[in-house]
Amino acid sequence: MKSVALLSLVVICGMGGLGQKLKPKKRSNGEEINFRTKAKDVCTMTVSGDEEMKLRIECKNQGKSYWCEFTGKPSVCRPFRKNPKIYWNQIAMELRKLPHACESTQVLKATMCQKAPTDAVMKQLTAGMEPEDLANQDKLVQKTSASTKEAGKSSVKKIGKPPVLPLIKPTQHGQGSANETEAMKLAREHCWESLHGFCSYIIGIFRG
């Protein structure tokens, strides 16, 4: 009886181990795959989800950074259920052939799931730039505005204040008019009315 019970225990353990081997391998959520695009963008691919999976891609190159997200149900593909690691590596290989990981394609297919239903295809859900790039654009606009203001100040300095006009001194013509008035006054005092003009002329010559 002991031998039969021992044999039964061995068979049960063996079946349990076999069942564990037949379970599909799963890639843990949040695991990352690094790759470079054709344009040398340094990218990181992160996988999350269970039945419906999400693929997030983040890339950087020469001060620019962008990201995008794909979603799909690769679990409907039988080869994926057997070895999801190979599936994601094939996706990364396809991305390496592209110049831009987010703009160059809207769908991602693994060669091992070419005959799988369309739900297995990873379709792009959203994309965008990182906030730091938007901040750099704002800094560039502010720098341009500051340069424009400095150029305006320089122009004002070059124009300067308007020149001060010199005061105009009284001319000899003004002095002559004063002499003529004085001559006419004397002519009115000492000459007849009909000779005022003549007397004023003579007096003006002498007062010269």
Side-chain angles (χ1 to χ4, degrees):
M1 291 294 293
K2 291 183 178 180
S3 60
V4 173
L6 182 61
L7 180 61
S8 299
L9 181 62
V10 170
V11 172
I12 293 172
C13 292
M15 292 180 65
L18 181 61
Q20 290 179 356
K21 290 182 181 179
L22 292 176
K23 288 182 180 179
K25 299 178 183 179
K26 291 186 178 181
R27 196 172 191 91
S28 59
N29 290 343
E31 190 171 352
E32 298 179 349
I33 302 176
N34 298 318
F35 65 93
R36 287 176 179 265
T37 64
K38 193 174 182 180
K40 305 302 181 182
D41 296 345
V42 180
C43 302
T44 301
M45 189 173 77
T46 307
V47 180
S48 62
D50 189 6
E51 181 179 355
E52 184 171 359
M53 307 199 72
K54 181 186 291 185
L55 175 66
R56 182 178 176 86
I57 301 171
E58 298 179 354
C59 300
K60 293 184 178 181
N61 186 11
Q62 297 180 353
K64 69 175 182 178
S65 59
Y66 58 91
W67 60 271
C68 56
E69 292 182 353
F70 291 79
T71 184
K73 296 179 179 180
S75 58
V76 300
C77 171
R78 183 175 297 177
F80 172 84
R81 294 197 300 269
K82 291 182 179 180
N83 198 333
K85 184 176 182 179
I86 296 178
Y87 176 89
W88 296 119
N89 285 336
Q90 288 182 356
I91 292 293
M93 288 293 295
E94 292 299 319
L95 290 169
R96 289 189 181 98
K97 300 176 184 178
L98 304 176
H100 195 288
C102 293
E103 293 182 357
S104 300
T105 183
Q106 296 295 317
V107 295
L108 295 173
K109 297 180 180 180
T111 54
M112 65 189 296
C113 292
Q114 290 292 337
K115 297 181 180 181
T118 56
D119 290 346
V121 176
M122 301 298 292
K123 300 177 182 178
Q124 189 175 122
L125 185 65
T126 182
M129 291 190 303
E130 290 292 338
E132 62 186 26
D133 288 301
L134 299 177
N136 291 337
Q137 290 181 3
D138 292 339
K139 290 180 180 178
L140 181 61
V141 172
Q142 292 176 1
K143 186 177 180 180
T144 305
S145 299
S147 300
T148 305
K149 289 180 180 179
E150 289 296 329
K153 290 180 180 179
S154 300
S155 300
V156 172
K157 289 180 180 179
K158 289 181 180 179
I159 294 173
K161 295 181 179 179
V164 179
L165 297 175
L167 296 174
I168 302 176
K169 296 181 179 180
T171 60
Q172 292 183 356
H173 178 73
Q175 294 177 354
S177 298
N179 291 336
E180 291 177 0
T181 303
E182 186 67 23
M184 180 59 72
K185 184 179 179 181
L186 294 173
R188 289 175 179 175
E189 293 177 356
H190 301 284
C191 297
W192 291 331
E193 184 177 356
S194 59
L195 299 175
H196 284 173
F198 179 77
C199 291
S200 173
Y201 175 73
I202 298 299
I203 293 171
I205 293 175
F206 283 102
R207 293 180 64 87

